[in-house]
Amino acid sequence: MTTAKGYLTTHVLDTAKGRPAAGLKITLYLIEGAERRELARTQTNADGRTDQPILPAADFAPGVYELEFQAGAYLRESALQPGAFLDVIPIRFIIEEAESHYHVPLLLSPYGYSTYRGS
């Protein structure tokens, strides 16, 4: 019998433009004590999502993780932020339930952002 496993996804919305943030680079890290180990690099598609789960079921496990969003590069390329305020946005979170879908959205504007655990 196969047990269902969880997975990790994200969705980045550009709230200044009122549409998905396409082409935003993302890195996923596993945090173990003082160590930060890179697990994946990806970027958002035209819908502001990644084409595949950032952490698929085969690799999904409880632990402390960090998503690093390259917001500054995206904002400069989109001509919304000619100067620099936001740069890299790290979001550190805990996965406790190995069978659950964890969704970590990012709502982004040139001078602020918010996140939450989505569904």
PDB file of all heavy atoms in Angstrom, residues 49-65:
ATOM      1  N   ARG A  49       3.385  30.661 -10.891  1.00  0.00           N
ATOM      2  CA  ARG A  49       3.608  29.386 -10.188  1.00  0.00           C
ATOM      3  C   ARG A  49       4.824  28.701 -10.791  1.00  0.00           C
ATOM      4  O   ARG A  49       5.286  29.072 -11.853  1.00  0.00           O
ATOM      5  CB  ARG A  49       2.387  28.478 -10.324  1.00  0.00           C
ATOM      6  CG  ARG A  49       1.114  29.087  -9.780  1.00  0.00           C
ATOM      7  CD  ARG A  49      -0.099  28.193 -10.080  1.00  0.00           C
ATOM      8  NE  ARG A  49      -1.332  28.849  -9.736  1.00  0.00           N
ATOM      9  CZ  ARG A  49      -1.884  28.860  -8.528  1.00  0.00           C
ATOM     10  NH1 ARG A  49      -1.296  28.227  -7.537  1.00  0.00           N
ATOM     11  NH2 ARG A  49      -3.013  29.495  -8.306  1.00  0.00           N
ATOM     12  N   THR A  50       5.314  27.673 -10.142  1.00  0.00           N
ATOM     13  CA  THR A  50       6.376  26.877 -10.733  1.00  0.00           C
ATOM     14  C   THR A  50       5.733  25.733 -11.518  1.00  0.00           C
ATOM     15  O   THR A  50       4.612  25.312 -11.214  1.00  0.00           O
ATOM     16  CB  THR A  50       7.321  26.326  -9.655  1.00  0.00           C
ATOM     17  OG1 THR A  50       6.574  25.556  -8.713  1.00  0.00           O
ATOM     18  CG2 THR A  50       8.028  27.466  -8.925  1.00  0.00           C
ATOM     19  N   ASP A  51       6.427  25.255 -12.536  1.00  0.00           N
ATOM     20  CA  ASP A  51       5.855  24.196 -13.376  1.00  0.00           C
ATOM     21  C   ASP A  51       5.673  22.887 -12.626  1.00  0.00           C
ATOM     22  O   ASP A  51       4.785  22.117 -12.941  1.00  0.00           O
ATOM     23  CB  ASP A  51       6.727  23.975 -14.613  1.00  0.00           C
ATOM     24  CG  ASP A  51       6.650  25.147 -15.583  1.00  0.00           C
ATOM     25  OD1 ASP A  51       5.599  25.825 -15.634  1.00  0.00           O
ATOM     26  OD2 ASP A  51       7.645  25.387 -16.285  1.00  0.00           O
ATOM     27  N   GLN A  52       6.516  22.657 -11.649  1.00  0.00           N
ATOM     28  CA  GLN A  52       6.464  21.449 -10.817  1.00  0.00           C
ATOM     29  C   GLN A  52       6.481  21.885  -9.352  1.00  0.00           C
ATOM     30  O   GLN A  52       6.938  22.978  -9.046  1.00  0.00           O
ATOM     31  CB  GLN A  52       7.684  20.550 -11.086  1.00  0.00           C
ATOM     32  CG  GLN A  52       7.864  20.137 -12.521  1.00  0.00           C
ATOM     33  CD  GLN A  52       6.748  19.236 -13.004  1.00  0.00           C
ATOM     34  OE1 GLN A  52       6.229  18.420 -12.256  1.00  0.00           O
ATOM     35  NE2 GLN A  52       6.358  19.394 -14.268  1.00  0.00           N
ATOM     36  N   PRO A  53       6.040  21.005  -8.432  1.00  0.00           N
ATOM     37  CA  PRO A  53       6.206  21.352  -7.007  1.00  0.00           C
ATOM     38  C   PRO A  53       7.675  21.658  -6.712  1.00  0.00           C
ATOM     39  O   PRO A  53       8.571  21.012  -7.256  1.00  0.00           O
ATOM     40  CB  PRO A  53       5.741  20.097  -6.277  1.00  0.00           C
ATOM     41  CG  PRO A  53       4.786  19.444  -7.227  1.00  0.00           C
ATOM     42  CD  PRO A  53       5.351  19.718  -8.601  1.00  0.00           C
ATOM     43  N   ILE A  54       7.911  22.638  -5.867  1.00  0.00           N
ATOM     44  CA  ILE A  54       9.283  22.993  -5.505  1.00  0.00           C
ATOM     45  C   ILE A  54       9.926  21.852  -4.725  1.00  0.00           C
ATOM     46  O   ILE A  54      11.097  21.557  -4.887  1.00  0.00           O
ATOM     47  CB  ILE A  54       9.317  24.291  -4.684  1.00  0.00           C
ATOM     48  CG1 ILE A  54       8.736  25.427  -5.515  1.00  0.00           C
ATOM     49  CG2 ILE A  54      10.735  24.621  -4.239  1.00  0.00           C
ATOM     50  CD1 ILE A  54       8.485  26.678  -4.724  1.00  0.00           C
ATOM     51  N   LEU A  55       9.150  21.220  -3.880  1.00  0.00           N
ATOM     52  CA  LEU A  55       9.587  20.042  -3.147  1.00  0.00           C
ATOM     53  C   LEU A  55       8.559  18.959  -3.423  1.00  0.00           C
ATOM     54  O   LEU A  55       7.469  18.968  -2.849  1.00  0.00           O
ATOM     55  CB  LEU A  55       9.687  20.346  -1.643  1.00  0.00           C
ATOM     56  CG  LEU A  55      10.321  19.284  -0.762  1.00  0.00           C
ATOM     57  CD1 LEU A  55      11.763  18.987  -1.191  1.00  0.00           C
ATOM     58  CD2 LEU A  55      10.303  19.721   0.685  1.00  0.00           C
ATOM     59  N   PRO A  56       8.863  18.046  -4.348  1.00  0.00           N
ATOM     60  CA  PRO A  56       7.890  17.019  -4.718  1.00  0.00           C
ATOM     61  C   PRO A  56       7.721  15.949  -3.638  1.00  0.00           C
ATOM     62  O   PRO A  56       8.526  15.856  -2.705  1.00  0.00           O
ATOM     63  CB  PRO A  56       8.482  16.420  -5.990  1.00  0.00           C
ATOM     64  CG  PRO A  56       9.939  16.685  -5.901  1.00  0.00           C
ATOM     65  CD  PRO A  56      10.092  17.951  -5.105  1.00  0.00           C
ATOM     66  N   ALA A  57       6.681  15.155  -3.785  1.00  0.00           N
ATOM     67  CA  ALA A  57       6.343  14.122  -2.805  1.00  0.00           C
ATOM     68  C   ALA A  57       7.523  13.192  -2.511  1.00  0.00           C
ATOM     69  O   ALA A  57       7.749  12.820  -1.365  1.00  0.00           O
ATOM     70  CB  ALA A  57       5.141  13.318  -3.278  1.00  0.00           C
ATOM     71  N   ALA A  58       8.298  12.846  -3.516  1.00  0.00           N
ATOM     72  CA  ALA A  58       9.411  11.904  -3.326  1.00  0.00           C
ATOM     73  C   ALA A  58      10.475  12.451  -2.379  1.00  0.00           C
ATOM     74  O   ALA A  58      11.176  11.685  -1.719  1.00  0.00           O
ATOM     75  CB  ALA A  58      10.044  11.571  -4.671  1.00  0.00           C
ATOM     76  N   ASP A  59      10.600  13.777  -2.283  1.00  0.00           N
ATOM     77  CA  ASP A  59      11.622  14.406  -1.447  1.00  0.00           C
ATOM     78  C   ASP A  59      11.052  15.096  -0.218  1.00  0.00           C
ATOM     79  O   ASP A  59      11.792  15.683   0.566  1.00  0.00           O
ATOM     80  CB  ASP A  59      12.392  15.445  -2.268  1.00  0.00           C
ATOM     81  CG  ASP A  59      13.064  14.840  -3.485  1.00  0.00           C
ATOM     82  OD1 ASP A  59      13.543  13.697  -3.389  1.00  0.00           O
ATOM     83  OD2 ASP A  59      13.085  15.507  -4.534  1.00  0.00           O
ATOM     84  N   PHE A  60       9.754  15.038  -0.057  1.00  0.00           N
ATOM     85  CA  PHE A  60       9.070  15.794   0.993  1.00  0.00           C
ATOM     86  C   PHE A  60       9.283  15.140   2.355  1.00  0.00           C
ATOM     87  O   PHE A  60       9.103  13.944   2.519  1.00  0.00           O
ATOM     88  CB  PHE A  60       7.579  15.844   0.668  1.00  0.00           C
ATOM     89  CG  PHE A  60       6.821  16.882   1.418  1.00  0.00           C
ATOM     90  CD1 PHE A  60       6.877  18.208   1.038  1.00  0.00           C
ATOM     91  CD2 PHE A  60       6.041  16.544   2.501  1.00  0.00           C
ATOM     92  CE1 PHE A  60       6.168  19.182   1.721  1.00  0.00           C
ATOM     93  CE2 PHE A  60       5.325  17.505   3.203  1.00  0.00           C
ATOM     94  CZ  PHE A  60       5.389  18.822   2.804  1.00  0.00           C
ATOM     95  N   ALA A  61       9.664  15.946   3.342  1.00  0.00           N
ATOM     96  CA  ALA A  61       9.887  15.440   4.700  1.00  0.00           C
ATOM     97  C   ALA A  61       9.728  16.591   5.686  1.00  0.00           C
ATOM     98  O   ALA A  61       9.962  17.746   5.342  1.00  0.00           O
ATOM     99  CB  ALA A  61      11.293  14.857   4.824  1.00  0.00           C
ATOM    100  N   PRO A  62       9.340  16.280   6.919  1.00  0.00           N
ATOM    101  CA  PRO A  62       9.273  17.328   7.943  1.00  0.00           C
ATOM    102  C   PRO A  62      10.638  17.993   8.129  1.00  0.00           C
ATOM    103  O   PRO A  62      11.678  17.365   7.921  1.00  0.00           O
ATOM    104  CB  PRO A  62       8.855  16.558   9.203  1.00  0.00           C
ATOM    105  CG  PRO A  62       8.135  15.368   8.681  1.00  0.00           C
ATOM    106  CD  PRO A  62       8.867  14.987   7.425  1.00  0.00           C
ATOM    107  N   GLY A  63      10.609  19.251   8.515  1.00  0.00           N
ATOM    108  CA  GLY A  63      11.846  19.978   8.753  1.00  0.00           C
ATOM    109  C   GLY A  63      11.628  21.469   8.658  1.00  0.00           C
ATOM    110  O   GLY A  63      10.509  21.946   8.469  1.00  0.00           O
ATOM    111  N   VAL A  64      12.716  22.201   8.772  1.00  0.00           N
ATOM    112  CA  VAL A  64      12.699  23.652   8.632  1.00  0.00           C
ATOM    113  C   VAL A  64      13.235  23.974   7.237  1.00  0.00           C
ATOM    114  O   VAL A  64      14.310  23.500   6.857  1.00  0.00           O
ATOM    115  CB  VAL A  64      13.560  24.331   9.717  1.00  0.00           C
ATOM    116  CG1 VAL A  64      13.581  25.843   9.525  1.00  0.00           C
ATOM    117  CG2 VAL A  64      13.051  23.970  11.108  1.00  0.00           C
ATOM    118  N   TYR A  65      12.486  24.778   6.508  1.00  0.00           N
ATOM    119  CA  TYR A  65      12.830  25.118   5.134  1.00  0.00           C
ATOM    120  C   TYR A  65      12.839  26.626   4.958  1.00  0.00           C
ATOM    121  O   TYR A  65      12.235  27.360   5.743  1.00  0.00           O
ATOM    122  CB  TYR A  65      11.819  24.509   4.160  1.00  0.00           C
ATOM    123  CG  TYR A  65      11.864  23.009   4.124  1.00  0.00           C
ATOM    124  CD1 TYR A  65      11.139  22.250   5.031  1.00  0.00           C
ATOM    125  CD2 TYR A  65      12.647  22.340   3.192  1.00  0.00           C
ATOM    126  CE1 TYR A  65      11.175  20.863   5.008  1.00  0.00           C
ATOM    127  CE2 TYR A  65      12.695  20.956   3.157  1.00  0.00           C
ATOM    128  CZ  TYR A  65      11.954  20.223   4.073  1.00  0.00           C
ATOM    129  OH  TYR A  65      12.006  18.854   4.045  1.00  0.00           O
TER     130      TYR A  65
END
